Amino acid sequence: MKVPSVTCGTHGKQPQTFVCRHIIESLKTGEPKGFWWSRGPDGVWDAVCNECNALDQAAFDALGPDNIGVICLGCFEDAAALNEVELE
Ligand SMILES: [Zn+2]
Ligand SMILES: [Zn+2]
């Protein structure tokens, strides 16, 4: 299945991934905040920080769509590397 792509200023055209806004912040600040990733059946990667990972589903959902942003797969890999997490 084809993952929709995004065009990143750094990495060019890449598959889109979903991460919490704290991970997007950590890419800007260079400060690791945890990186808990998974890959959906559609092949789309997503990840949340330590703080978001500690929430139960209802509390996480209560944060709403503003808590989640789209980044390119290159940025996703950069965020994983920042947190010293390996993607399979
Ligand atoms: Zn988070
Ligand atoms: Zn990127």
Side-chain angles (χ1 to χ4, degrees), residues 6-12 14 27 71-76 78:
V6 287
T7 302
C8 171
T10 307
H11 302 103
Q14 290 277 322
L27 278 169
I71 61 173
C72 94
L73 187 57
C75 290
F76 190 89
D78 288 351

Side-chain angles (χ1 to χ4, degrees), residues 46-75:
D46 59 69
V48 294
C49 73
N50 287 335
E51 202 180 305
C52 290
N53 188 59
L55 300 173
D56 62 28
Q57 190 65 47
F60 185 74
D61 290 347
L63 295 172
D66 287 350
N67 191 48
I68 300 292
V70 172
I71 61 173
C72 94
L73 187 57
C75 290

Side-chain angles (χ1 to χ4, degrees), residues 17-20 23 35-40 44-48 76:
T17 69
F18 294 92
V19 296
C20 75
I23 288 178
F35 195 85
W36 298 83
W37 63 269
S38 64
R39 196 172 190 192
V44 178
W45 297 90
D46 59 69
V48 294
F76 190 89

